[in-house]
Amino acid sequence: MSEWAEAWRRADVVILTALRLEYDAVLQVDAGAVRGSTWERTTGPSGLPVAFRSFEVPTGRPLRVAVAVAADMGATAATNVLLPLMEALKPRCVAMSMGCIADVLFLGFDALGRRRYFMRI
């Protein structure tokens, strides 16, 4: 595990935005956050901004969310940011804005459901 990942340990969800405006909008979300928490801002493994915050759930531990911004719109820029984050944080869910995925077609999972296959269109 990298030093960067050890510092932030994990994220249950990674949200990737294509525009700084979208990233800033996510950082305005306070509803459901763990009481007294704020967005913890840092730089991710790709050198771009990443922020973390935990949100309450009905039972169990809080949901840890990471939000990052890609350097540009499109699949290539999204991949360059997302792959190092996925490797470091091992999220259970990844969400992307349409600017990140507009030119990508999801093809499915491998037999074990561990790897996702995409095709650029």
Side-chain angles (χ1 to χ4, degrees), residues 9-13 32-35 37 40 52-66 92:
R9 293 181 300 278
R10 65 170 177 80
D12 299 304
V13 177
V34 170
R35 187 177 309 236
S37 71
E40 303 163 26
F52 295 84
R53 194 166 190 185
S54 294
F55 290 83
E56 297 289 350
V57 295
T59 60
R61 66 175 172 75
L63 186 71
R64 182 95 166 140
V65 175
R92 294 185 292 161

Side-chain angles (χ1 to χ4, degrees), residues 77-102:
T79 301
N80 289 338
V81 173
L82 190 57
L83 289 181
L85 284 175
M86 290 180 66
E87 182 68 27
L89 301 175
K90 308 282 191 242
R92 294 185 292 161
C93 177
V94 174
M96 294 183 272
S97 70
M98 287 306 292
C100 293
I101 60 173

Side-chain angles (χ1 to χ4, degrees), residues 17-71:
T17 67
L19 303 173
R20 183 62 188 240
L21 182 67
E22 296 168 328
Y23 174 83
D24 291 340
V26 173
L27 297 184
Q28 297 300 311
V29 175
D30 291 320
V34 170
R35 187 177 309 236
S37 71
T38 60
W39 285 99
E40 303 163 26
R41 298 175 195 215
T42 188
T43 302
S46 63
L48 294 167
V50 178
F52 295 84
R53 194 166 190 185
S54 294
F55 290 83
E56 297 289 350
V57 295
T59 60
R61 66 175 172 75
L63 186 71
R64 182 95 166 140
V65 175
V67 60
V69 62

